[in-house]
Amino acid sequence: MSKAIDVVSLYPKDMNIYGDSGNVLAVERRLALYGYEPYVHAVNQNDPWPEHADIILGGGGQDTGQKKIIEDLFRRADQLRDLAQSGVPMLMICGLYQLFGEYFETIDGTKLEGISIIRAYTVGCDVRMIGNLVEHSAQFGDVIGYENHSGQTFLREGVQPLGTVDGDGTGNNGEDHTEGARVHNVIGTYMHGSLLPKNPKITDFMIRTAAERRYGAFDPEQTDAQRAELARIDEYAAHAREAAVTRPR
């Protein structure tokens, strides 16, 4: 019998732009190809929390979307902090990356308090950082994705970035050449919905971590057909990465 892995898609109704739902699909598909039984739970405002939460994925949204979900996010803050501290793998993109920090001060001066899982803060600015991006990560190698944000995020001292970028005007804030953040098994990043499809090493890290937490080991039970399909998806990811690197910002 397949082992269940429960995946929480956090606020997909309001925090899902630039293809962030692709991250959920990538996790779901790879879990199935490793022989696990994925259960995806869409958790929007006031929805019940599932009994199990093995992987939590959240996307980006406009400032209006952040304002819509902030009250509900604070109701869940203690639970999310406990899950983060216990090692649950999480991926938070753009808008939810910002709200997992200490605060986000929008360009109009509105200050949205965050839930402080990541010790970082964000301020809005007039300049938008947009385009294909390559960052260098010690754990995952080169991470390839697409950023689109005007918020500038600054990590507090001691907070580990997801990776580093080469160019000015890119990454967390366009200044210090960092991108994203790592806290426990929580990943925050400005890389949007093509992140996990293009970067299977990160997807597999989340799957492995979730399986080890729930079952004590990552133990795929795959058919030959599943292995072949996984290899085919990895080949597609490699081609997509190559194409993205050659595209101008």
Side-chain angles (χ1 to χ4, degrees), residues 139-195:
Q139 182 171 358
F140 305 116
D142 281 353
V143 178
I144 295 171
Y146 186 87
E147 65 174 348
N148 188 348
H149 59 105
S150 59
Q152 294 184 334
T153 296
F154 297 88
L155 307 181
R156 298 293 190 186
E157 185 175 355
V159 177
Q160 177 186 352
L162 173 60
T164 59
V165 295
D166 294 329
D168 293 334
T170 66
N172 277 332
N173 52 57
E175 299 174 10
D176 63 14
H177 290 203
T178 65
E179 201 292 311
R182 292 286 306 275
V183 177
H184 307 300
N185 290 320
V186 178
I187 296 173
T189 179
Y190 279 111
M191 300 283 206
H192 275 282
S194 59
L195 176 69

Side-chain angles (χ1 to χ4, degrees), residues 14-15 45 61-70 106 112:
D14 294 302
M15 304 297 287
Q45 299 172 61
Q62 305 292 343
D63 291 355
T64 53
Q66 291 175 297
K67 291 173 183 176
K68 284 181 182 178
I69 61 95
I70 191 70
T106 67
L112 298 177

